[in-house]
Structure formats: structure tokens, C-alpha cells
Amino acid sequence: MIEVTTITIIEAPIERCFDMARDIDIHTKTVWKHTRERAVAGVMSGPIGSGDTVTFEATHFGIKQRLKSRITDYERPFLFVDQMEKGAFKSMRHEHHFSVCGERETCMRDTLYFEAPLGLLGWAAERLVLKKYMQTFLESRNARLKALLEQEET
């Protein structure tokens, strides 16, 4: 299993950061455009909450994929966790942690755990390609989310 962690400092209140991070519309605006990611089932617009599911369709590595996740843990405004129920990975868990880290700042820590299918081939893909790809994907998405949040604060 691979673990990828990102930490983003955002000049915005914790409640706004938490709510925007779990908003499906914001999510689709902050991911890479070339993946053409969109919600196709479950909560397809607005905020997702405890027990809710969402299915995203996106193209990664030239392959159209669907990933269904459920919010398995939810403690507003500090934590929400989405767990893959169906998708290309053998397993995937994405923890979104939020804490106040300054007078007007929120620390957002994303930790993604995933395991590729296909045994030894998947193990190699995790280490040679997927870890860096997922790290870059999260960093890019979080930078765009930060920009949206800080733009609205001014």
C-alpha cells in the first residue's frame, strides 16, 4: 500500500475550507482539465456529507475510468474520509484533515492510501508511476482550491 501526503496552508476560515473541499462542483473545477473528471452518480452537485456516495468518471493514462467513493468518516470542520467502493484500484482511502494553524489560516492535510490491483505488476506500477502521479494530482488540486478560497477572502 502506498501513502501520499500533502499539506496546504490556506488563508481562510476552517469552516469554509472544509465545506469547499467537500463540494462536488468545486472538486470538478480544481482537478486537471485533461482528465475531464465529472460526477456521474450519487451526489453530483454541492457538498457531500456523512454516508453519501459519489461516482466520478475521468480519463487517466488514456483510459476512461469510474470511481465510486463513500464518505465513511465525517467530523465537521476537522475531518472527512472518502473510501473507494468500486474503481480501478484494489483499495483507496483519502483522508482530509483540517486544523486552525494561525489567526486566519487553516492547515489542510490530505493523506491518500492506495493499492493497485494485478499483484507484482501493480506493486511495480505503484512505485514507478502512480505514487508521483497521485502526489502531483493532489498538489495541483489543492493549489487550485487554495487559490479559490483565498480569492474569495479578499
Side-chain angles (χ1 to χ4, degrees), residues 12 29 31 38 50-51 61 69 99 102 104 117 124 136 152:
K29 289 178 186 173
V31 295
R38 63 190 182 100
S50 183
F61 303 107
S69 293
S99 60
R104 295 180 27 88
T136 304
E152 288 188 11

Side-chain angles (χ1 to χ4, degrees), residues 109-154:
R109 180 172 44 95
D110 279 316
T111 304
L112 180 67
Y113 303 92
F114 64 90
E115 188 174 2
L118 305 176
L120 189 56
L121 184 60
W123 183 90
E126 289 170 354
R127 284 145 183 85
L128 296 174
V129 178
L130 292 174
K131 183 173 184 176
K132 178 156 180 47
Y133 182 84
M134 297 306 282
Q135 180 85 36
T136 304
F137 184 82
L138 284 179
E139 288 171 353
S140 174
R141 186 213 181 248
N142 291 345
R144 291 174 184 196
L145 179 60
K146 172 184 169 77
L148 282 174
L149 280 157
E150 291 180 348
Q151 176 184 8
E152 288 188 11
E153 273 300 294
T154 57

Side-chain angles (χ1 to χ4, degrees), residues 95-111:
E95 299 176 358
H96 309 257
H97 297 266
F98 300 84
S99 60
V100 176
C101 60
E103 235 177 85
R104 295 180 27 88
E105 294 177 329
T106 298
C107 294
M108 180 175 72
R109 180 172 44 95
D110 279 316
T111 304

Side-chain angles (χ1 to χ4, degrees), residues 53-93:
T53 64
V54 61
T55 301
F56 287 107
E57 182 178 271
T59 302
H60 294 277
F61 303 107
I63 302 165
K64 189 181 281 190
Q65 304 172 35
R66 285 192 175 203
L67 177 97
K68 178 182 180 183
S69 293
R70 179 176 303 276
I71 302 299
T72 57
D73 295 295
Y74 184 89
E75 299 172 28
R76 186 178 188 273
F78 304 108
L79 168 74
F80 71 95
V81 177
D82 55 275
Q83 183 92 25
M84 184 191 82
E85 290 189 343
K86 188 185 281 187
F89 287 92
K90 183 175 180 182
S91 67
M92 179 181 284
R93 176 181 172 89

